[in-house]
Amino acid sequence: MADNGNAGSAVNVASILLALLFLLNGGMKIAGMMVDQFAVWGYPAWFQYLIGVVEALAGVGFLRRPTRFLAAVVVVPIMAGAIYTLVRAGASGQAAVPAVALLLALFVAKKSR
């Protein structure tokens, strides 16, 4: 279904924001910048790199209309996991960014099918 009007513009803006977010966060994980944090959360170091690669690929996916839906579907469970991890770790205040990303990804998925 093609986007048009305000909905199309909103999807474009949301997709660009998500692309920037996931390219940045994925890149940080690929660069190994969160190994200590993943260890605190109880995850092995390799998991950080796996999530980083998936996030970075999704970030690229958000930049192209044909792949936006797939990118959104991929990041929804990752953001749900991030929210769960932060709440479990007692850092629920930090869960706002993944919660907003989750909602934006659901919006993009719905409008991009």
Side-chain angles (χ1 to χ4, degrees):
M1 180 185 274
D3 287 320
N4 54 32
N6 291 336
S9 296
V11 171
N12 289 336
V13 169
S15 295
I16 291 168
L17 290 173
L18 288 167
L20 292 171
L21 174 72
F22 287 109
L23 286 168
L24 177 65
N25 285 335
M28 288 174 55
K29 290 175 182 88
I30 292 167
M33 297 173 71
M34 296 185 68
V35 172
D36 293 340
Q37 193 61 53
F38 270 66
V40 167
W41 293 328
Y43 298 120
W46 64 263
F47 190 63
Q48 170 200 221
Y49 299 106
L50 173 66
I51 295 298
V53 168
V54 173
E55 286 182 352
L57 290 172
V60 172
F62 279 114
L63 295 173
R64 300 190 61 242
R65 284 180 200 254
T67 55
R68 283 180 182 166
F69 176 77
L70 179 60
V73 168
V74 166
V75 300
V76 165
I78 292 173
M79 291 301 95
I83 294 165
Y84 169 78
T85 297
L86 290 166
V87 170
R88 184 187 70 188
S92 57
Q94 295 176 20
V97 171
V100 170
L102 175 85
L103 292 174
L104 285 175
L106 289 170
F107 171 74
V108 169
K110 180 171 176 46
K111 297 295 183 178
S112 298
R113 285 193 296 167

